[in-house]
Amino acid sequence: PLIEKLAKQYNAKFTTGPLNRILRRAVAGHSPSLNRGRRIKLFYVTQGGIAPPTFLIMTNDSAAIHFSYERYLINCFRRELKLDNIPVRLVFKNRPRRR
């Protein structure tokens, strides 16, 4: 039973809507710190892969995300999605600038 549970979590797929709600709640509870006086914005999240679940978060400055904030977000996704026994990966990407 444990192996089946782990395999199910490891190969789980999630839609963008619930992921964005989790991200909004996480940011509302604890917003990212400032970087050189500029606010770091997290725009949206989508699932980028499975095995392990990988989530792509679009931001205005991916290099400025502190490892402790990344760990906070991982813990939020784990708790909300019930992914308690497997690794969860976050990848921060810069959103293309609008013209």
Side-chain angles (χ1 to χ4, degrees):
L2 179 60
I3 292 174
E4 290 174 7
K5 177 183 173 185
L6 293 176
K8 185 176 179 182
Q9 286 183 14
Y10 202 66
N11 295 303
K13 294 181 182 177
F14 303 97
T15 58
T16 302
L19 294 175
N20 282 321
R21 283 190 285 278
I22 293 168
L23 181 64
R24 277 196 302 270
R25 282 194 298 271
V27 170
H30 177 59
S31 60
S33 60
L34 297 177
N35 180 43
R36 297 182 190 155
R38 288 185 54 210
R39 180 153 314 278
I40 299 171
K41 298 175 186 170
L42 304 177
F43 298 111
Y44 65 92
V45 60
T46 187
Q47 187 166 7
I50 57 170
T54 303
F55 303 112
L56 304 175
I57 298 178
M58 295 300 170
T59 179
N60 64 337
D61 191 357
S62 62
I65 304 292
H66 197 268
F67 73 91
S68 61
Y69 194 74
E70 179 179 359
R71 212 170 40 230
Y72 163 74
L73 290 175
I74 288 172
N75 289 334
C76 289
F77 281 104
R78 275 193 176 157
R79 182 179 54 251
E80 296 275 340
L81 298 173
K82 296 177 180 41
L83 300 174
D84 52 351
N85 296 313
I86 59 162
V88 173
R89 290 183 52 213
L90 293 184
V91 176
F92 295 95
K93 296 185 135 245
N94 288 335
R95 183 175 79 168
R97 296 188 185 270
R98 294 182 179 164
R99 295 182 184 222

